[in-house]
Amino acid sequence: MGLFSWIKNKYYDYRLGSADKLVENREFDKAQLIYESLLGKQPVAGVHLAKMLANNAMGVNDKIEVLKRLLELKQFSTEVSIADFTSVLNNHVSSIEKMAAECFNYHRYYDAVTLL
């Protein structure tokens, strides 16, 4: 790795850390812009974006939209990040299944079917 590549990687790592701090401060829109700018450049940026999206999807429509987005983000997974990305994706799918079961139990059948 040359000096230029090393500097680039340090810069991308710094930007990733900045986005993580924005997430901690609940500034999700700003963090999302940074994560998206790092896709394909920083190996775990997609995982961080996926976690942020999945952790903040609360409603039925949010869960579905985030699932679609996660499936789009999968293409940015690398050997370094695929296991973590898969874990985030699997956890999100589990949360969708759990929400569908809750909807069914509360007789919100439309929402349950939508989630499934």
Side-chain angles (χ1 to χ4, degrees), residues 51-115:
K51 283 181 185 177
M52 181 194 77
L53 294 172
N55 289 340
N56 293 291
M58 299 302 160
V60 171
N61 292 330
D62 287 345
K63 294 274 189 190
I64 300 296
E65 290 304 314
V66 167
L67 179 60
K68 291 176 186 175
R69 184 69 173 123
L70 294 183
L71 294 174
E72 292 170 0
L73 288 173
K74 188 174 183 183
Q75 69 180 316
F76 295 102
S77 295
T78 64
E79 287 182 32
V80 172
S81 64
I82 191 67
D84 289 335
F85 186 86
T86 301
S87 176
V88 172
L89 181 58
N90 289 340
N91 287 339
H92 187 66
V93 170
S94 293
S95 76
I96 288 173
E97 291 170 347
K98 181 180 176 188
M99 181 181 268
E102 291 170 356
C103 289
F104 184 81
N105 289 337
Y106 287 106
H107 307 285
R108 293 176 36 216
Y109 301 118
Y110 180 81
D111 288 342
V113 170
T114 300
L115 287 164

Side-chain angles (χ1 to χ4, degrees), residues 30-46:
K30 291 179 184 177
Q32 184 169 345
L33 290 174
I34 294 172
Y35 289 140
E36 288 174 346
S37 74
L38 293 172
L39 292 173
K41 300 172 187 169
Q42 208 291 344
V44 297

